Amino acid sequence: SSKEGVQQGDPLGPLLFSLLIQKLIAAIAARCPGLALNLWYLDDGVLAGRAADVAAALAVIAELGPDLGLELNLVKNEAVFFWDDTPDPFPKEVERFRDGFELLGAPIGDEAYCHKFVSKFTAKAVAHTLGPLYSLDEPDRAHAQPPLRLLLQGGTLTARSATLVCADSCRG
């Protein structure tokens, strides 16, 4: 168990962390003025700009982080490249994306990437929500509205039909 610092679950934790990480954000801004974005929500940061500027910002985090009690975990970092000819100065542990990426749960990318992301998310959510209906006896399933019966019988599910199914089955 932790004996120093803010304990997990402490309501002051996010505020105190924000005060601490502000020093790091300010140092990145001062040393890497070419960045297009240096945005943070607690420990989730978005650094955007030329590859060299983002790599310089990553170096600032690696340099100053330990003195602030912060450890950079390269495996949890992602580099997004929008052009194939962009130089790649990042360590091999950093995951690379070319078509799109997820930012705070939202897809960022072209239409095809966003459609695939939303379809996958919706199918997973509908399966989780409707999964318990599979365990019902057949007479209980008969009370489900027609869209739900279609799904239970193996109907095709897309992001659009899932939204319609939810809207239809949630009506009073």
Side-chain angles (χ1 to χ4, degrees), residues 71-159:
E71 182 180 322
L72 180 62
N73 184 351
L74 289 173
V75 174
K76 291 187 173 185
N77 285 264
E78 302 168 343
V80 181
F81 299 94
F82 292 102
W83 296 275
D84 288 336
D85 61 347
T86 302
D88 186 346
F90 303 104
K92 65 179 173 44
E93 297 89 353
V94 174
E95 188 172 0
R96 275 103 169 128
F97 293 94
R98 296 235 177 241
D99 298 326
F101 62 102
E102 178 184 342
L103 178 62
L104 297 175
I108 309 293
D110 63 14
E111 185 176 351
Y113 175 83
C114 292
H115 179 75
K116 181 180 175 183
F117 180 95
V118 170
S119 294
K120 186 177 176 181
F121 176 83
T122 304
K124 188 176 182 181
V126 168
H128 175 75
T129 303
L130 298 180
L133 291 176
Y134 285 105
S135 64
L136 296 176
D137 293 332
E138 190 58 40
D140 293 330
R141 285 190 203 172
H143 296 292
Q145 293 185 11
L148 294 179
R149 281 200 302 270
L150 173 67
L151 284 173
L152 292 172
Q153 295 168 357
T156 303
L157 178 65
T158 65

Side-chain angles (χ1 to χ4, degrees), residues 53-66:
D53 292 329
V54 174
L58 198 62
V60 172
I61 295 169
E63 176 192 339
L64 301 179

Side-chain angles (χ1 to χ4, degrees), residues 21-32 38 60 64:
I21 201 165
Q22 186 58 39
K23 291 179 181 180
L24 184 62
I25 295 168
I28 293 169
R31 292 191 191 182
C32 308
N38 178 15
V60 172
L64 301 179

